[in-house]
Amino acid sequence: DLETYQARIKGAQETVDIAAGLAQGLTTTILAQYALEENALKVKLANELTAINSTFSTEKASLDAQLAAKTISQAQYDAGILAANQKLQANTKAAQVKQAVDLNAIKKKQFEADKKNQIAQALADTAQAVLSVFAQAKGGPVLKGIAAGAAAIFAAIRVNQIRQTQFVPTTFARGGKVGTFSGPSHARGG
């Protein structure tokens, strides 16, 4: 009977809505976890940079004291400052590049989680569209089936488009800038 049929469709639509809501909630939780990882990574970099700068400051203070006590010459001092500064820049750059690589890994996880959520949402939308079209289309079961099939085809195209999206990582292949450091492309020795 028609009422039973409509009740079943409504029940199926409610089930799809619940599943979509659960998938969205799970994705939100996962993305929040990745955001926490990203923040922890930023704090770690800040701590590493503080340690690197502290080491430089200690080396500079030692050189300043040695120059003031005349235990090293101005040339030795200048060479020491240059070496300490080069070490500071190299360590800073290495820490920033490592952070960029680690951050890229987190961003890829976020991308994949969001992609799965989009697919789940598209599948839920597909189920809703098919059920809705089948319930509301005029005509008999054959016409309703054709209309529902058309809705499913369009939804499948959307799911396929989502599946084909690719993560685009941050790369240094064309040169790049990390913090205050700029680098050449790989082709030019970067």
Side-chain angles (χ1 to χ4, degrees), residues 8 18 20 46 54 66 73 85 111 128-129 158:
R8 285 183 180 168
I18 291 169
S54 177
Q66 291 175 42
S73 68
N85 192 37
F111 173 84
Q128 284 287 28
R158 177 67 188 129

Side-chain angles (χ1 to χ4, degrees), residues 151-170:
I153 288 170
F154 286 116
I157 291 169
R158 177 67 188 129
V159 168
N160 191 44
Q161 288 172 334
I162 295 167
R163 283 191 174 129
Q164 289 180 3
T165 59
Q166 297 293 316
F167 177 71
V168 179
T170 303

Side-chain angles (χ1 to χ4, degrees), residues 54-127:
S54 177
T55 299
F56 173 78
S57 295
T58 300
E59 290 176 12
K60 185 179 179 311
S62 173
L63 290 169
D64 288 345
Q66 291 175 42
L67 183 63
K70 300 192 187 282
T71 57
I72 60 171
S73 68
Q74 183 66 45
Q76 290 171 315
Y77 174 82
D78 292 343
I81 290 292
L82 180 62
N85 192 37
Q86 288 172 340
K87 188 166 101 176
L88 168 71
Q89 289 182 11
N91 290 342
T92 299
K93 183 176 181 180
Q96 289 173 329
V97 167
K98 178 162 179 6
Q99 183 205 29
V101 169
D102 292 347
L103 189 58
N104 202 40
I106 292 170
K107 295 276 185 199
K108 183 173 184 177
K109 290 177 189 176
Q110 289 173 328
F111 173 84
E112 293 299 331
D114 187 52
K115 184 175 170 179
K116 288 175 183 174
N117 179 58
Q118 287 181 29
I119 290 170
Q121 187 61 50
L123 291 172
D125 291 347
T126 299

